[in-house]
Amino acid sequence: MTGTIDREALREKYRAERDKRLRPDGNAQYIEPKGRFAHFLDDPYVERVEREPLHDEVTVAIIGGGFAGLVTGARLVQAGVTDVRIIEGGGDVGGAWYWNRYPGAMCDTAAMVYLPLLEETGHVPTMKYVLAPEIYGHARRIATTFGLYDNALFSTAVTSLDWDEASSRWIISTARGDRIRARFVSMGLGPLHRPKLPGIEGIDSFGGHCFHTSRWDYAYTGGSYEGAPMTGLADKRVGIIGTGATAVQYIPHLGRAAKELYVFQRTPSSIDVRNNHAIDREMVESFEPGWQQRWLMNFVTLQTGGFTDEDLVMDGWTDITKRIRDRMIAQMGTNGLGPEAMLKAYEESDDEKMEEIRARVDAVVADPATAEALKPWYRQLCKRPCFHDEYLDTFNRSSVHLVDTDGRGVERIDETGVWVGGRHVELDCIVFASGFEVGTSYSRRAGFETAGRDGELLSEHWAEGMHTKHGIHVHGFPNLFLVAPNQGANLISNVTHNYVEQGATIAAVVAHALEVGAEQVEVTAEAEQAWVRLLEGSVRAFMGSPDCTPGYYNNEGQPVGRKERLNGSGYPEGPVAYFRYIDEWRSSGEFEGLEFR
Ligand code: NDP
C-alpha cells in the first residue's frame, strides 16, 4: 500500500487542511458556560441536601473524587493512613465518569488496564472496552472497598485552599461554608469536568432546547444512561456541534433516535476499528496474582515503542506504535537509525495508517460526497484517535445529515437554528459536543486558587509554566500533592496508570512523614529546578507538531512556547522509565529532593 501513496501530495493536502482551520483566537474561541448557560455546570444527577458547615480537621484531604483521588485514597488506606476525606463537587465519586453520562459513553482504553485496582477490588471487566456505567460502578467499588465514602463530602465545591504556616495545616474553604483543616492535601482535578462552549455568533439567541454532552438531558431526550432508547427525540430535529471523541460515541445512538439528525462538522475524527468483545472471566480468574501490573507494563511498553514477548491488550493504541517501531527496525539496515530515519519511519507508518482509516470510510459510507467529507487529513496523533464500529455507518441512514463546514465551523446560530455556508438548518435541539477546558490555566479549570507559603498563588508560581518535582510536589506548597500525568510519566493513552503510580508515591511520602513525626514535607527549590531542567532537556512534550491541524493537543494551532511545553512535558526517557524510576525513588525510603521538617 505504501508504494501507492504520493507523499508530497499528501503533505500538501495536510498543510492545506490545517491552514483552513488556523484561527488567530486559538483557545479564546471557546467560552465558559455563563449567563444563559450557567446551568450547564449544575449537577442534574442529585438533589442538593443541606447540611451544617464543617469546621474540623483531617489528616489527608483529597480534592476531587475521580480516579486520581480514589486511587490515592486507596493507596493511603493500604499504607495505614485512614483519616482521609474526599471533597468533591459532584454528588458522588467518579469524576469525568460521574459527569459524562451521554448515550454510548465508553472508554477507548481497554478495561483490563484502564480500570484501576482490579485485583484489589475483585472486579473482572465484562468487555474489552466497557461502557460508562460499568466504569462509574467501578469508581464506586473502589470507594466502598477502601472505606472512602465514610468521611467524604459530596456536592461540595472548594472555593479556596490556603496554607497556614503557623499551624502547618491547609485550610480548605468550600461553597457550603466549610473551613476544614488538613495536614496534607492531594489534588486530582482532572481536565475533563469543566465543559466549554464554542463562541459562535448568536449562540445566546437559540430559542430551542440545548445542552452540553457532559450533562446529558435525558428528561428531554428520553431514554437512559443504561441504554434505554431516547424516545423523546422521535419527532425532533437535532443538531450536533462537535465531532470529537465524545460525539463519535453518541452519534450512532442519536442517529437511531432522532427524527432528523444534523451533524455539524469542522474537522472529522479518525475512526479506527473498535472490535469489542466479552472478557472471559474464568481466564482472568486463573491469572497469577500481580497480573494487572504485568498488563499495565505490557501495554505501556508497547504503546511507547518498546519490546515485549506478547501484546496482551492488542488494540489500536499498541498497533500505532508497533507499526512505527517495526518500520524503524526495517529501515535500520538501509538508512541507519539516526533522527531522520526515525522521523521517516514514523511518517511512513502514519501515512499507511491514515490511508487505511480513509479507505475504511469509503468502504462503509455509501454516499461518495459524505464519505469524502468524513475523511481525516492529518497525522493520526494530531488529534485524539477514535475507535468505533457504528459511527461511520450511521451516515448511511436517510435521517442523518452530515453538514460539513469545510474547516470553518458553524457560522452563526439564531433563534430557530444554525447557519453554515449561507444555509440555514432549522432545529428543535442543539447538543454541544465542544469539549472541556484543557488548555486554560490551572486555577480556571480548578475553579479556585491555591495559596501556599507567604500567600503565593499556585497560578503565580506557574505563570511561566508548571514547576514541580515528579508532577507531584511544588516548592512553597508544603504538604500538598498533585495527581496528574503532566511532568511525570505523561502517559496519555492510559491516564489511570499515571494515577496508580502517583497515588502510591504520595501514600509512601505521607506515611513516612507521619512515621518520623514531620509537620512539613516539601520539595526543595533546587530539586524542583533540577526536575524542570531535566524535563526541558526532553523532546517528549505532549504537543502535536506545528504542522498539525489545530486542536487541544497543539494549543489550538497557536505557537507552543516554553510554558506550553513545560505544561505538556513528561519524563525524558518516557513512561516506562518513569514508572521504574518512581518505584525505586519511593521504595528506597530516602525521598531524595524532599525535606521532612
Ligand atoms: P473535543 O475537544 O475533542 O472536541 C470538540 C469538538 O467541537 C471538535 O470536533 C471541534 O472541532 C468541535 N467544534 C468546536 N468549535 C466548533 C465550531 N465553532 N463549529 C463546529 N465544530 C466546532 O471534545 P470531546 O468532548 O469530544 O472530547 C474531549 C476529550 O475527552 C477527548 O479528547 C478525550 O481525551 C476524552 N474522551 C475520552 C474518552 C475515552 O474513551 N476515554 C471518550 C470521550 C472523550 P475541531 O476538531 O475542528 O476543533
Side-chain angles (χ1 to χ4, degrees):
M1 166 178 279
T2 47
T4 65
I5 300 176
D6 178 346
R7 294 188 195 285
E8 212 19 68
L10 192 60
R11 295 283 94 74
E12 192 45 49
K13 172 82 173 155
Y14 283 10
R15 273 193 293 273
E17 292 292 328
R18 175 206 58 187
D19 290 350
K20 271 185 207 170
R21 291 169 172 84
L22 283 175
R23 39 190 292 167
D25 49 2
N27 270 314
Q29 69 181 283
Y30 290 103
I31 55 174
E32 290 187 80
K34 288 189 175 150
R36 165 181 180 188
F37 301 114
H39 69 282
F40 281 14
L41 297 176
D42 291 349
D43 185 344
Y45 310 121
V46 288
E47 289 286 327
R48 184 186 157 96
V49 178
E50 295 306 326
R51 62 166 173 79
E52 288 300 312
L54 287 174
H55 293 89
D56 61 356
E57 179 164 325
V58 291
T59 306
V60 187
I62 293 180
I63 304 179
F67 279 131
L70 289 168
V71 167
T72 306
R75 292 296 188 223
L76 282 163
V77 170
Q78 284 178 319
V81 184
T82 52
D83 182 25
V84 172
R85 173 180 290 159
I86 288 177
I87 305 176
E88 163 61 50
D92 198 349
V93 296
W97 299 105
Y98 173 80
W99 296 113
N100 285 282
R101 303 189 188 193
Y102 57 84
M106 69 189 312
C107 184
D108 284 341
T109 304
M112 295 284 276
V113 290
Y114 179 78
L115 293 182
L117 311 184
L118 284 175
E119 289 184 80
E120 290 87 337
T121 55
H123 180 63
V124 175
T126 56
M127 303 287 289
K128 179 166 183 174
Y129 304 96
V130 291
L131 288 163
E134 183 168 340
I135 306 173
Y136 176 37
H138 188 63
R140 297 175 53 108
R141 182 177 298 111
I142 294 174
T144 307
T145 305
F146 292 94
L148 299 172
Y149 274 121
D150 301 346
N151 202 12
L153 292 179
F154 295 113
S155 306
T156 300
V158 171
T159 50
S160 66
L161 180 59
D162 297 280
W163 174 248
D164 177 37
E165 178 74 15
S167 63
S168 295
R169 294 291 182 270
W170 284 99
I171 297 168
I172 303 159
S173 306
T174 77
R176 289 185 178 254
D178 305 311
R179 264 177 85 77
I180 300 159
R181 298 165 66 79
R183 189 159 170 185
F184 303 97
V185 170
S186 172
M187 294 209 281
L189 303 178
L192 299 178
H193 65 297
R194 279 189 88 80
K196 63 179 166 46
L197 293 171
I200 299 169
E201 186 193 332
I203 186 170
D204 277 331
S205 63
F206 183 58
H209 197 74
C210 61
F211 56 90
H212 186 274
T213 51
S214 67
R215 307 287 192 276
W216 194 270
D217 191 351
Y218 285 105
Y220 179 82
T221 64
S224 74
Y225 172 49
E226 289 77 18
M230 293 179 282
T231 47
L233 298 179
D235 59 349
K236 300 286 191 300
R237 296 159 303 180
V238 180
I240 294 167
I241 297 182
T243 49
T246 296
V248 165
Q249 293 182 343
Y250 75 75
I251 280 174
H253 296 261
L254 276 188
R256 282 193 285 276
K259 179 178 168 220
E260 301 290 336
L261 179 65
Y262 295 87
V263 178
F264 298 98
Q265 174 182 271
R266 189 164 70 178
T267 310
S269 282
S270 69
I271 317 291
D272 206 351
V273 174
R274 161 92 303 160
N275 207 5
N276 204 2
H277 59 76
I279 292 283
D280 180 350
R281 192 181 173 90
E282 275 183 26
M283 180 191 73
V284 176
E285 283 172 348
S286 73
F287 288 164
E288 294 279 318
W291 69 261
Q292 196 179 25
Q293 184 61 17
R294 282 197 301 281
W295 277 63
L296 284 167
M297 288 313 287
N298 181 272
F299 180 73
V300 63
T301 303
L302 288 170
Q303 218 283 298
T304 53
F307 293 90
T308 60
D309 291 342
E310 54 181 336
D311 182 352
L312 292 167
V313 169
M314 211 182 306
D315 68 355
W317 292 107
T318 57
D319 181 54
I320 298 172
T321 35
K322 275 194 305 186
R323 278 174 193 245
I324 298 168
R325 184 198 68 191
D326 292 348
R327 191 171 288 264
M328 282 182 189
I329 292 165
Q331 292 194 348
M332 262 169 96
T334 46
N335 304 332
L337 199 62
E340 254 176 55
M342 279 166 78
L343 279 178
K344 187 163 181 285
Y346 189 176
E347 207 164 86
E348 284 178 7
S349 49
D350 192 88
D351 290 347
E352 182 185 282
K353 181 86 222 177
M354 291 306 282
E355 286 290 292
E356 276 178 28
I357 282 172
R358 290 187 285 265
R360 186 176 185 225
V361 182
D362 278 329
V364 176
V365 178
D367 174 53
T370 306
E372 208 46 44
L374 283 167
K375 290 180 188 168
W377 295 102
Y378 47 81
R379 291 173 65 164
Q380 192 180 24
L381 294 181
C382 282
K383 282 204 172 272
R384 169 66 152 69
C386 296
F387 308 88
H388 214 282
D389 293 337
E390 289 171 70
Y391 176 74
L392 293 170
D393 195 32
T394 300
F395 293 92
N396 290 327
R397 288 177 176 271
S398 56
S399 58
V400 177
H401 317 281
L402 180 70
V403 185
D404 184 45
T405 66
D406 195 23
R408 284 183 288 272
V410 166
E411 210 169 282
R412 190 154 56 87
I413 296 178
D414 68 10
E415 199 186 336
T416 57
V418 161
W419 289 89
V420 171
R423 169 185 168 205
H424 186 252
V425 180
E426 289 221 345
L427 297 170
D428 301 301
C429 173
I430 298 177
V431 182
F432 293 106
S434 42
F436 301 88
E437 300 264 348
V438 180
T440 47
S441 75
Y442 196 75
S443 48
R444 173 164 159 180
R445 276 183 283 134
F448 62 88
E449 288 283 8
T450 300
R453 185 176 293 118
D454 302 325
E456 186 193 13
L457 298 180
L458 192 55
S459 50
E460 287 166 6
H461 192 74
W462 287 355
E464 302 303 320
M466 255 179 104
H467 284 67
T468 71
K469 182 177 174 73
H470 300 160
I472 299 176
H473 316 277
V474 187
H475 180 67
F477 296 79
N479 297 9
L480 178 73
F481 312 104
L482 308 167
V483 191
N486 323 48
Q487 301 203 342
N490 212 18
L491 177 66
I492 303 302
S493 55
N494 189 16
V495 283
T496 54
H497 191 173
N498 303 273
Y499 301 158
V500 171
E501 290 296 322
Q502 304 296 66
T505 307
I506 292 164
V509 171
V510 169
H512 182 73
L514 292 173
E515 199 181 296
V516 300
E519 281 295 313
Q520 295 190 6
V521 50
E522 182 181 358
V523 61
T524 64
E526 300 72 44
E528 183 184 277
Q529 281 157 14
W531 189 256
V532 169
R533 269 198 307 277
L534 180 76
L535 300 174
E536 285 198 288
S538 158
V539 289
R540 208 172 261 272
F542 186 68
M543 280 282 154
S545 80
D547 52 1
C548 276
T549 192
Y552 78 82
Y553 275 16
N554 68 340
N555 198 25
E556 297 293 341
Q558 298 298 296
V560 173
R562 175 173 187 259
K563 178 177 176 174
E564 290 76 21
R565 258 195 296 277
L566 267 184
N567 291 349
S569 62
Y571 192 60
E573 290 167 49
V576 175
Y578 178 81
F579 291 141
R580 291 210 181 98
Y581 158 80
I582 201 71
D583 185 26
E584 277 171 29
W585 183 89
R586 67 172 175 257
S587 309
S588 76
E590 288 172 19
F591 305 105
E592 174 274 315
L594 301 190
E595 256 177 18
F596 292 81
R597 292 187 283 265

